[in-house]
Amino acid sequence: MSEPLFDKVAVVGLGLIGSSIARGIEERGLAASVAGFDGSDDVRARARALGFCALIADTPEDAVKNAELVVLAVPVGAMASAAKSIAPYLADGAIVTDVGSVKAAVIRSVGDELPASAVFVPGHPVAGTEHSGPEAGFAELFEGRWCVLTPCGRSPEAAVGKVTALWTALGSTVETMTPEHHDIVLAITSHIPHLIAYNIVGTAADLEDVTQSEVIKFSAGGFRDFTRIAASDPVMWRDVFLNNKDAVLEVLGRFSEDLAALQRMIRWDDGQSLQDHFTRTRAIRRGIIDAGQDTPDADFGRPHGHED
Ligand code: NAP
């Protein structure tokens, strides 16, 4: 147990990320109390049954009343309505933070709904899984991961320091950058990879010469790893693409040019260029393993041999 960093923390949105934050704060004793709220009756009932928040409130008002920190953990497209629902009930000096995967658009939409006096420290934990809902959350989700904070005009240094202390206590390393830089970095490292996975899985499903059962049977050839990413939450990812449009389209332009270059190498039997390219990309994989961001185990640590 650590020293509590906060008196009361409220988490709005109790899915994968919100429930993981609530669990992490409670398990580590980082707040005197944690209250949760979710817009869905069903999610609130499931959260109560799971028992990870001392209070699952039936209204945003009851959740955020007297809270020192409010964490918005709803899909990016719902950030404005979540901010609007809590705005009248925020305690004086309360810090609002968020976990949205897109930053510039969220700063605009949340900023429009919060009172002028409100303190807002935008953030994005770069940690997640392809699962959603309160059952998917776990306290260790943020351990060994990065959390990006993108302070804006209403983020005083002391508030940035408190949010940094929270993420550090949850096991993450915090990096600060501008919202625009965040959005372009995440476009290439997260958003475009998801788009590619959604695309290739869709293409495989639509191929006429290959049957569905063949796609599943031979999926260990590489396809299987795309299907994990393509199983990610449809609402969350719809909102990411609609709200990080400019950065995604810019990086997608570069991606398409590079894909066309690979296409040309194959067409012209340019084996040397293909090999050079694949050698360069292999080094990037090694860098990720060396940085402790993935396991070096073959096949992502999946068991080999017979599974009986
Ligand atoms: P999730 O599991 O789908 O949970 C989101 C929850 O918010 C749902 O229970 C949803 O209820 C609820 N909600 C929607 N609108 C609301 C509102 N206005 N007020 C209160 N509750 C509301 O999603 P998640 O994966 O935790 O993602 C949450 C946020 O974290 C997103 O902004 C996402 O970009 C960000 N993020 C996600 C990941 C990841 O890998 N999943 C990683 C980092 C950051 P309904 O389902 O009934 O709408």
mmCIF file of all heavy atoms in Angstrom, residues 173-205:
data_model
loop_
_atom_site.group_PDB
_atom_site.id
_atom_site.type_symbol
_atom_site.label_atom_id
_atom_site.label_comp_id
_atom_site.label_asym_id
_atom_site.label_seq_id
_atom_site.Cartn_x
_atom_site.Cartn_y
_atom_site.Cartn_z
ATOM 1 N N THR A 173 5.479 4.881 -17.025
ATOM 2 C CA THR A 173 6.445 5.968 -17.156
ATOM 3 C C THR A 173 5.758 7.071 -17.946
ATOM 4 O O THR A 173 5.150 6.799 -18.992
ATOM 5 C CB THR A 173 7.705 5.487 -17.916
ATOM 6 O OG1 THR A 173 8.176 4.309 -17.265
ATOM 7 C CG2 THR A 173 8.790 6.543 -17.890
ATOM 8 N N VAL A 174 5.843 8.287 -17.429
ATOM 9 C CA VAL A 174 5.087 9.386 -18.037
ATOM 10 C C VAL A 174 5.979 10.198 -18.965
ATOM 11 O O VAL A 174 7.120 10.510 -18.634
ATOM 12 C CB VAL A 174 4.496 10.293 -16.933
ATOM 13 C CG1 VAL A 174 3.852 11.534 -17.534
ATOM 14 C CG2 VAL A 174 3.480 9.502 -16.109
ATOM 15 N N GLU A 175 5.447 10.503 -20.142
ATOM 16 C CA GLU A 175 6.133 11.412 -21.065
ATOM 17 C C GLU A 175 5.148 12.518 -21.439
ATOM 18 O O GLU A 175 3.959 12.264 -21.621
ATOM 19 C CB GLU A 175 6.584 10.644 -22.311
ATOM 20 C CG GLU A 175 7.363 11.518 -23.249
ATOM 21 C CD GLU A 175 8.479 10.782 -23.986
ATOM 22 O OE1 GLU A 175 9.100 9.868 -23.406
ATOM 23 O OE2 GLU A 175 8.712 11.149 -25.141
ATOM 24 N N THR A 176 5.676 13.731 -21.553
ATOM 25 C CA THR A 176 4.831 14.874 -21.881
ATOM 26 C C THR A 176 5.144 15.349 -23.297
ATOM 27 O O THR A 176 6.313 15.401 -23.674
ATOM 28 C CB THR A 176 5.115 16.008 -20.864
ATOM 29 O OG1 THR A 176 4.795 15.499 -19.579
ATOM 30 C CG2 THR A 176 4.256 17.225 -21.117
ATOM 31 N N MET A 177 4.107 15.638 -24.079
ATOM 32 C CA MET A 177 4.329 16.174 -25.434
ATOM 33 C C MET A 177 3.124 17.010 -25.845
ATOM 34 O O MET A 177 2.127 17.057 -25.118
ATOM 35 C CB MET A 177 4.593 15.041 -26.441
ATOM 36 C CG MET A 177 3.487 14.032 -26.573
ATOM 37 S SD MET A 177 3.855 12.683 -27.754
ATOM 38 C CE MET A 177 5.025 11.679 -26.871
ATOM 39 N N THR A 178 3.206 17.668 -26.985
ATOM 40 C CA THR A 178 2.054 18.457 -27.434
ATOM 41 C C THR A 178 0.979 17.496 -27.950
ATOM 42 O O THR A 178 1.290 16.388 -28.412
ATOM 43 C CB THR A 178 2.421 19.425 -28.579
ATOM 44 O OG1 THR A 178 2.784 18.632 -29.723
ATOM 45 C CG2 THR A 178 3.564 20.354 -28.199
ATOM 46 N N PRO A 179 -0.290 17.932 -27.915
ATOM 47 C CA PRO A 179 -1.360 17.064 -28.422
ATOM 48 C C PRO A 179 -1.171 16.707 -29.894
ATOM 49 O O PRO A 179 -1.412 15.565 -30.307
ATOM 50 C CB PRO A 179 -2.629 17.901 -28.245
ATOM 51 C CG PRO A 179 -2.249 19.160 -27.552
ATOM 52 C CD PRO A 179 -0.786 19.171 -27.312
ATOM 53 N N GLU A 180 -0.691 17.664 -30.680
ATOM 54 C CA GLU A 180 -0.524 17.412 -32.123
ATOM 55 C C GLU A 180 0.554 16.354 -32.358
ATOM 56 O O GLU A 180 0.408 15.473 -33.203
ATOM 57 C CB GLU A 180 -0.143 18.712 -32.870
ATOM 58 C CG GLU A 180 -1.246 19.763 -32.897
ATOM 59 C CD GLU A 180 -1.481 20.457 -31.551
ATOM 60 O OE1 GLU A 180 -0.552 20.465 -30.704
ATOM 61 O OE2 GLU A 180 -2.594 20.973 -31.341
ATOM 62 N N HIS A 181 1.648 16.444 -31.577
ATOM 63 C CA HIS A 181 2.719 15.455 -31.742
ATOM 64 C C HIS A 181 2.208 14.073 -31.308
ATOM 65 O O HIS A 181 2.454 13.073 -31.982
ATOM 66 C CB HIS A 181 3.951 15.871 -30.941
ATOM 67 C CG HIS A 181 5.141 15.033 -31.261
ATOM 68 N ND1 HIS A 181 5.698 14.990 -32.515
ATOM 69 C CD2 HIS A 181 5.856 14.158 -30.498
ATOM 70 C CE1 HIS A 181 6.702 14.145 -32.514
ATOM 71 N NE2 HIS A 181 6.818 13.618 -31.305
ATOM 72 N N HIS A 182 1.495 14.037 -30.177
ATOM 73 C CA HIS A 182 0.898 12.771 -29.726
ATOM 74 C C HIS A 182 0.077 12.143 -30.859
ATOM 75 O O HIS A 182 0.192 10.945 -31.140
ATOM 76 C CB HIS A 182 -0.012 13.003 -28.507
ATOM 77 C CG HIS A 182 -0.905 11.845 -28.207
ATOM 78 N ND1 HIS A 182 -2.104 11.629 -28.878
ATOM 79 C CD2 HIS A 182 -0.775 10.793 -27.360
ATOM 80 C CE1 HIS A 182 -2.656 10.518 -28.442
ATOM 81 N NE2 HIS A 182 -1.879 9.986 -27.515
ATOM 82 N N ASP A 183 -0.760 12.948 -31.492
ATOM 83 C CA ASP A 183 -1.693 12.393 -32.479
ATOM 84 C C ASP A 183 -0.984 11.823 -33.699
ATOM 85 O O ASP A 183 -1.429 10.820 -34.273
ATOM 86 C CB ASP A 183 -2.710 13.471 -32.890
ATOM 87 C CG ASP A 183 -3.705 13.759 -31.772
ATOM 88 O OD1 ASP A 183 -3.701 13.026 -30.750
ATOM 89 O OD2 ASP A 183 -4.495 14.717 -31.906
ATOM 90 N N ILE A 184 0.155 12.417 -34.080
ATOM 91 C CA ILE A 184 0.875 11.880 -35.241
ATOM 92 C C ILE A 184 1.673 10.638 -34.829
ATOM 93 O O ILE A 184 1.725 9.645 -35.552
ATOM 94 C CB ILE A 184 1.746 12.973 -35.929
ATOM 95 C CG1 ILE A 184 2.112 12.566 -37.350
ATOM 96 C CG2 ILE A 184 2.969 13.326 -35.175
ATOM 97 C CD1 ILE A 184 1.268 13.234 -38.369
ATOM 98 N N VAL A 185 2.260 10.659 -33.621
ATOM 99 C CA VAL A 185 3.027 9.490 -33.147
ATOM 100 C C VAL A 185 2.079 8.292 -32.998
ATOM 101 O O VAL A 185 2.386 7.175 -33.432
ATOM 102 C CB VAL A 185 3.730 9.787 -31.791
ATOM 103 C CG1 VAL A 185 4.305 8.516 -31.183
ATOM 104 C CG2 VAL A 185 4.830 10.831 -31.959
ATOM 105 N N LEU A 186 0.909 8.532 -32.424
ATOM 106 C CA LEU A 186 -0.028 7.416 -32.216
ATOM 107 C C LEU A 186 -0.674 6.976 -33.528
ATOM 108 O O LEU A 186 -1.060 5.819 -33.678
ATOM 109 C CB LEU A 186 -1.071 7.787 -31.166
ATOM 110 C CG LEU A 186 -0.697 7.414 -29.717
ATOM 111 C CD1 LEU A 186 -0.685 5.891 -29.535
ATOM 112 C CD2 LEU A 186 0.654 7.965 -29.282
ATOM 113 N N ALA A 187 -0.753 7.893 -34.499
ATOM 114 C CA ALA A 187 -1.294 7.494 -35.806
ATOM 115 C C ALA A 187 -0.422 6.385 -36.397
ATOM 116 O O ALA A 187 -0.939 5.375 -36.878
ATOM 117 C CB ALA A 187 -1.370 8.696 -36.744
ATOM 118 N N ILE A 188 0.910 6.551 -36.318
ATOM 119 C CA ILE A 188 1.783 5.531 -36.929
ATOM 120 C C ILE A 188 1.970 4.310 -36.039
ATOM 121 O O ILE A 188 2.059 3.186 -36.520
ATOM 122 C CB ILE A 188 3.150 6.138 -37.376
ATOM 123 C CG1 ILE A 188 4.019 5.087 -38.103
ATOM 124 C CG2 ILE A 188 3.948 6.712 -36.233
ATOM 125 C CD1 ILE A 188 3.482 4.605 -39.385
ATOM 126 N N THR A 189 1.989 4.509 -34.705
ATOM 127 C CA THR A 189 2.288 3.358 -33.842
ATOM 128 C C THR A 189 1.046 2.563 -33.449
ATOM 129 O O THR A 189 1.152 1.412 -33.037
ATOM 130 C CB THR A 189 2.988 3.813 -32.539
ATOM 131 O OG1 THR A 189 2.171 4.811 -31.906
ATOM 132 C CG2 THR A 189 4.361 4.375 -32.818
ATOM 133 N N SER A 190 -0.128 3.160 -33.557
ATOM 134 C CA SER A 190 -1.329 2.462 -33.085
ATOM 135 C C SER A 190 -2.495 2.527 -34.085
ATOM 136 O O SER A 190 -3.074 1.495 -34.432
ATOM 137 C CB SER A 190 -1.748 3.083 -31.742
ATOM 138 O OG SER A 190 -3.011 2.647 -31.343
ATOM 139 N N HIS A 191 -2.817 3.726 -34.555
ATOM 140 C CA HIS A 191 -4.038 3.854 -35.345
ATOM 141 C C HIS A 191 -3.919 3.190 -36.716
ATOM 142 O O HIS A 191 -4.807 2.427 -37.122
ATOM 143 C CB HIS A 191 -4.432 5.341 -35.464
ATOM 144 C CG HIS A 191 -4.530 6.023 -34.112
ATOM 145 N ND1 HIS A 191 -4.661 7.371 -33.949
ATOM 146 C CD2 HIS A 191 -4.504 5.509 -32.847
ATOM 147 C CE1 HIS A 191 -4.698 7.672 -32.640
ATOM 148 N NE2 HIS A 191 -4.602 6.551 -31.961
ATOM 149 N N ILE A 192 -2.812 3.457 -37.433
ATOM 150 C CA ILE A 192 -2.646 2.820 -38.752
ATOM 151 C C ILE A 192 -2.502 1.292 -38.615
ATOM 152 O O ILE A 192 -3.131 0.548 -39.374
ATOM 153 C CB ILE A 192 -1.456 3.444 -39.534
ATOM 154 C CG1 ILE A 192 -1.733 4.927 -39.822
ATOM 155 C CG2 ILE A 192 -1.181 2.690 -40.823
ATOM 156 C CD1 ILE A 192 -2.854 5.220 -40.787
ATOM 157 N N PRO A 193 -1.710 0.770 -37.649
ATOM 158 C CA PRO A 193 -1.685 -0.693 -37.492
ATOM 159 C C PRO A 193 -3.083 -1.280 -37.278
ATOM 160 O O PRO A 193 -3.403 -2.349 -37.811
ATOM 161 C CB PRO A 193 -0.797 -0.903 -36.261
ATOM 162 C CG PRO A 193 0.116 0.279 -36.259
ATOM 163 C CD PRO A 193 -0.697 1.431 -36.785
ATOM 164 N N HIS A 194 -3.926 -0.604 -36.524
ATOM 165 C CA HIS A 194 -5.291 -1.107 -36.355
ATOM 166 C C HIS A 194 -6.061 -1.060 -37.684
ATOM 167 O O HIS A 194 -6.783 -2.001 -38.015
ATOM 168 C CB HIS A 194 -6.040 -0.314 -35.269
ATOM 169 C CG HIS A 194 -5.753 -0.828 -33.883
ATOM 170 N ND1 HIS A 194 -4.594 -0.540 -33.202
ATOM 171 C CD2 HIS A 194 -6.470 -1.641 -33.064
ATOM 172 C CE1 HIS A 194 -4.608 -1.154 -32.025
ATOM 173 N NE2 HIS A 194 -5.730 -1.827 -31.914
ATOM 174 N N LEU A 195 -5.862 0.017 -38.445
ATOM 175 C CA LEU A 195 -6.575 0.130 -39.723
ATOM 176 C C LEU A 195 -6.137 -0.987 -40.684
ATOM 177 O O LEU A 195 -6.955 -1.579 -41.390
ATOM 178 C CB LEU A 195 -6.287 1.510 -40.331
ATOM 179 C CG LEU A 195 -7.230 1.952 -41.439
ATOM 180 C CD1 LEU A 195 -8.619 2.237 -40.886
ATOM 181 C CD2 LEU A 195 -6.688 3.202 -42.141
ATOM 182 N N ILE A 196 -4.827 -1.275 -40.674
ATOM 183 C CA ILE A 196 -4.304 -2.342 -41.541
ATOM 184 C C ILE A 196 -4.922 -3.681 -41.124
ATOM 185 O O ILE A 196 -5.337 -4.484 -41.963
ATOM 186 C CB ILE A 196 -2.758 -2.392 -41.459
ATOM 187 C CG1 ILE A 196 -2.173 -1.125 -42.077
ATOM 188 C CG2 ILE A 196 -2.210 -3.645 -42.130
ATOM 189 C CD1 ILE A 196 -0.693 -0.912 -41.760
ATOM 190 N N ALA A 197 -4.988 -3.914 -39.812
ATOM 191 C CA ALA A 197 -5.564 -5.183 -39.332
ATOM 192 C C ALA A 197 -7.046 -5.270 -39.713
ATOM 193 O O ALA A 197 -7.503 -6.301 -40.223
ATOM 194 C CB ALA A 197 -5.400 -5.301 -37.820
ATOM 195 N N TYR A 198 -7.786 -4.193 -39.503
ATOM 196 C CA TYR A 198 -9.211 -4.214 -39.880
ATOM 197 C C TYR A 198 -9.354 -4.481 -41.376
ATOM 198 O O TYR A 198 -10.249 -5.182 -41.825
ATOM 199 C CB TYR A 198 -9.869 -2.874 -39.533
ATOM 200 C CG TYR A 198 -10.192 -2.687 -38.053
ATOM 201 C CD1 TYR A 198 -9.727 -1.585 -37.346
ATOM 202 C CD2 TYR A 198 -10.979 -3.623 -37.374
ATOM 203 C CE1 TYR A 198 -10.027 -1.408 -35.995
ATOM 204 C CE2 TYR A 198 -11.285 -3.449 -36.026
ATOM 205 C CZ TYR A 198 -10.811 -2.346 -35.343
ATOM 206 O OH TYR A 198 -11.109 -2.179 -34.019
ATOM 207 N N ASN A 199 -8.425 -3.907 -42.156
ATOM 208 C CA ASN A 199 -8.516 -4.048 -43.606
ATOM 209 C C ASN A 199 -8.187 -5.469 -44.056
ATOM 210 O O ASN A 199 -8.928 -6.067 -44.829
ATOM 211 C CB ASN A 199 -7.574 -3.035 -44.264
ATOM 212 C CG ASN A 199 -7.767 -2.991 -45.760
ATOM 213 O OD1 ASN A 199 -8.898 -2.870 -46.227
ATOM 214 N ND2 ASN A 199 -6.693 -3.105 -46.499
ATOM 215 N N ILE A 200 -7.094 -6.027 -43.526
ATOM 216 C CA ILE A 200 -6.674 -7.346 -44.028
ATOM 217 C C ILE A 200 -7.672 -8.431 -43.598
ATOM 218 O O ILE A 200 -7.976 -9.355 -44.363
ATOM 219 C CB ILE A 200 -5.224 -7.690 -43.619
ATOM 220 C CG1 ILE A 200 -4.733 -8.870 -44.460
ATOM 221 C CG2 ILE A 200 -5.065 -7.996 -42.165
ATOM 222 C CD1 ILE A 200 -3.246 -9.070 -44.415
ATOM 223 N N VAL A 201 -8.218 -8.278 -42.400
ATOM 224 C CA VAL A 201 -9.188 -9.284 -41.949
ATOM 225 C C VAL A 201 -10.461 -9.171 -42.788
ATOM 226 O O VAL A 201 -11.057 -10.178 -43.190
ATOM 227 C CB VAL A 201 -9.466 -9.142 -40.429
ATOM 228 C CG1 VAL A 201 -10.581 -10.087 -39.992
ATOM 229 C CG2 VAL A 201 -8.186 -9.457 -39.642
ATOM 230 N N GLY A 202 -10.840 -7.952 -43.123
ATOM 231 C CA GLY A 202 -12.007 -7.753 -43.999
ATOM 232 C C GLY A 202 -11.750 -8.322 -45.382
ATOM 233 O O GLY A 202 -12.608 -8.989 -45.968
ATOM 234 N N THR A 203 -10.541 -8.071 -45.919
ATOM 235 C CA THR A 203 -10.206 -8.578 -47.259
ATOM 236 C C THR A 203 -10.267 -10.103 -47.276
ATOM 237 O O THR A 203 -10.826 -10.703 -48.197
ATOM 238 C CB THR A 203 -8.785 -8.106 -47.669
ATOM 239 O OG1 THR A 203 -8.749 -6.681 -47.614
ATOM 240 C CG2 THR A 203 -8.412 -8.568 -49.061
ATOM 241 N N ALA A 204 -9.699 -10.726 -46.249
ATOM 242 C CA ALA A 204 -9.695 -12.203 -46.196
ATOM 243 C C ALA A 204 -11.121 -12.731 -46.142
ATOM 244 O O ALA A 204 -11.444 -13.745 -46.777
ATOM 245 C CB ALA A 204 -8.913 -12.676 -44.973
ATOM 246 N N ALA A 205 -11.968 -12.022 -45.416
ATOM 247 C CA ALA A 205 -13.360 -12.487 -45.299
ATOM 248 C C ALA A 205 -14.093 -12.379 -46.633
ATOM 249 O O ALA A 205 -15.016 -13.149 -46.911
ATOM 250 C CB ALA A 205 -14.085 -11.664 -44.233
#
